[in-house]
């Protein structure tokens, strides 16, 4: 009578387990190493734009952004600096730009004159004139 053995051969079991573990380790290690390598190389490419060879001009048409995240950060920083600074808009007309926080305080206090030849902030209106409410003023037009 023929029957199956009660003991399984251990050599194929050990080799199968070892190969399976090796495949699992490689399946984790290779993508992890490639991710680190790609992050290092892509970061270096983003920092330095590619230089055009001497004698060649830039092609016409739309340009691609090398690093859009950095570009939007620079734009927002410039806008923030613009909103938080004093500057002349039109020196001959006496129009200045003031920080947005100060402008909001002045509007809340009713100190913003209307556009045109109105009294300055804090001045009393002339006889027959209504006090300036700032409803007609535009951003940047505060004299």
């Amino acid at each position: 009578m023929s029957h199956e053995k009660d003991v399984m051969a251990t050599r194929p079991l050990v080799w199968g387990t070892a190969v399976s573990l090796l495949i699992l380790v490689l399946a984790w290690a290779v993508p992890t190493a490639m991710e680190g390598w790609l992050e290092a190389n892509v970061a270096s490419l983003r920092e330095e734009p590619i230089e055009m060879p001497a004698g060649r001009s830039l092609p016409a048409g739309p340009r691609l952004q090398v690093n859009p995240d950095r570009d939007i950060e620079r734009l927002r920083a410039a806008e923030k600096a613009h909103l938080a600074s004093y500057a002349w808009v039109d020196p001959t007309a006496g129009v200045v730009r003031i920080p947005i926080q100060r402008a909001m305080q002045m509007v809340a206090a009713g100190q913003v004159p209307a556009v045109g030849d109105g009294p300055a902030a804090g001045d009393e209106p002339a006889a027959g004139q209504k006090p300036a409410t700032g409803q007609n003023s535009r951003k940047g037009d505060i004299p």
Side-chain angles (χ1 to χ4, degrees):
M1 208 166 148
S2 161
H3 66 284
E4 295 182 18
K5 294 182 182 179
D6 291 340
V7 180
M8 183 178 163
T10 57
R11 178 175 266 172
L13 182 62
V14 170
W15 276 105
T17 303
V19 169
S20 296
L21 287 175
L22 179 65
I23 290 172
L24 285 173
V25 168
L26 287 176
W28 170 80
V30 170
T32 303
M34 287 180 66
E35 180 182 13
W37 180 81
L38 285 172
E39 284 178 357
N41 288 333
V42 170
S44 68
L45 290 176
R46 287 184 183 163
E47 295 302 320
E48 299 175 15
I50 298 171
E51 298 290 329
M52 291 292 293
R56 293 189 62 188
S57 62
L58 291 173
R63 308 273 190 278
L64 298 176
Q65 288 180 302
V66 176
N67 188 345
D69 295 334
R70 183 180 59 201
D71 294 343
I72 195 71
E73 287 174 7
R74 286 181 182 170
L75 175 67
R76 288 182 179 152
E79 288 174 341
K80 190 174 185 178
H82 184 77
L83 287 174
S85 65
Y86 290 90
W88 284 102
V89 174
D90 186 0
T92 57
V95 179
V96 296
R97 180 182 72 234
I98 64 173
I100 190 75
Q101 292 297 326
R102 178 68 181 126
M104 288 190 292
Q105 291 170 356
M106 290 175 69
V107 169
Q111 298 175 340
V112 180
V115 175
D117 294 327
D123 289 347
E124 291 295 322
Q129 285 186 338
K130 293 181 182 177
T133 61
Q135 294 174 352
N136 296 329
S137 62
R138 295 175 295 175
K139 185 166 96 176
D141 288 341
I142 301 170

